[in-house]
Amino acid sequence: GQSLEQPSEVTAVEGAIVQINCTYQTSGFYGLSWYQQHDGGAPTFLSYNALDGLEETGRFSSFLSRSDSYGYLLLQELQMKDSASYFCAVRDSNYQLIWGAGTKLIIKP
Amino acid sequence: SAVISQKPSRDICQRGTSLTIQCQVDSQVTMMFWYRQQPGQSLTLIATANQGSEATYESGFVIDKFPISRPNLTFSTLTVSNMSPEDSSIYLCSVEDRRGEKLFFGSGTQLSVL
């Protein structure tokens, strides 16, 4: 079967750096994406990695290693507004989007 | 980017009734996707709606329960039929960008069935 694994919950302190990991097992791979979802809100796109390496967008970075079937989302200079759930999703060879279960990020002052 | 207007934002319905959710996109798109998200859970794809053809349903979802219309390239509806409390969930419509790298979502419909 196809699966994505990410931690269910991560806690960090305001101003710190946090990394949310995602490992995947899918039939084929086109790309790994990350979405942020605040409570009561809709998911919003954060990043997409199709090739190995680090992509940086402001305080957020996303990394991919296709050989390890692994990626992570790095959030720097954490702010209280970053408290949300973060989902990784992989596009498989059938072009289906497989979603992780989500990681709830809790930020403490 | 795409802007999607989804309504209603929330509704409380009686068992056995039906609710139709509407999504309007600000640009023409080939495919629209309908998702369900139960509280604290991930997103589950219900179906893909293509203009001019029948929707493609994922395993576990059937047209009689979730009929979909796609009359043009900017609009789609999802109906939740003969509702039961198990249908209480958030329903989301989405579209993807031209490169298929990102999804844009409507604001969601929070459905509670009593």
Side-chain angles (χ1 to χ4, degrees):
Chain A
Q2 306 201 94
S3 66
L4 274 68
E5 287 192 16
Q6 52 179 128
S8 60
E9 188 175 292
V10 172
T11 301
V13 178
E14 191 175 16
I17 300 172
V18 71
Q19 178 174 312
I20 300 174
N21 298 321
C22 177
T23 58
Y24 58 89
Q25 196 170 12
T26 59
S27 56
F29 177 88
Y30 274 108
L32 172 68
S33 48
W34 289 92
Y35 290 81
Q36 178 191 62
Q37 186 178 30
H38 288 99
D39 282 349
T44 57
F45 173 83
L46 292 177
S47 68
Y48 178 82
N49 295 66
L51 302 176
D52 292 350
L54 190 68
E55 297 274 347
E56 298 181 62
T57 308
R59 294 187 298 113
F60 293 5
S61 304
S62 57
F63 172 83
L64 174 66
S65 169
R66 288 173 295 170
S67 61
D68 295 322
S69 298
Y70 164 75
Y72 66 72
L73 180 69
L74 190 74
L75 296 81
Q76 303 182 71
E77 301 172 20
L78 285 172
Q79 303 175 9
M80 296 303 293
K81 67 178 182 180
D82 298 329
S83 295
S85 292
Y86 293 85
F87 294 90
C88 59
V90 165
R91 183 84 68 182
D92 71 7
S93 59
N94 293 320
Y95 214 66
Q96 298 295 310
L97 197 59
I98 313 299
W99 292 84
T103 297
K104 184 170 185 177
L105 175 60
I106 298 169
I107 300 175
K108 297 185 175 181
Chain B
S1 67
V3 177
I4 305 174
S5 174
Q6 181 174 345
K7 57 182 181 182
S9 58
R10 61 178 63 237
D11 207 341
I12 300 173
C13 301
Q14 295 298 316
R15 181 194 300 260
T17 62
S18 297
L19 175 73
T20 295
I21 303 167
Q22 300 180 7
C23 276
Q24 178 76 50
V25 190
D26 68 344
S27 57
Q28 293 185 337
V29 293
T30 305
M31 293 185 291
M32 292 181 72
F33 307 96
W34 288 97
Y35 281 92
R36 183 172 73 182
Q37 186 178 31
Q38 295 179 317
Q41 303 294 311
S42 187
L43 287 79
T44 301
L45 182 64
I46 297 171
T48 302
N50 295 296
Q51 194 269 334
S53 64
E54 278 203 8
T56 303
Y57 289 83
E58 298 300 310
S59 175
F61 298 96
V62 295
I63 188 171
D64 290 346
K65 176 68 176 176
F66 297 100
I68 287 171
S69 77
R70 184 80 201 276
N72 57 54
L73 291 173
T74 64
F75 186 79
S76 179
T77 69
L78 170 78
T79 299
V80 186
S81 303
N82 188 24
M83 288 184 285
S84 67
E86 292 71 34
D87 295 319
S88 297
S89 191
I90 297 172
Y91 293 84
L92 295 151
C93 61
S94 73
V95 301
E96 64 184 6
D97 69 335
R98 293 186 179 183
R99 296 171 67 175
E101 294 179 356
K102 61 178 79 170
L103 290 181
F104 303 98
F105 288 86
S107 54
T109 297
Q110 185 164 346
L111 172 62
S112 297
V113 184
L114 305 178

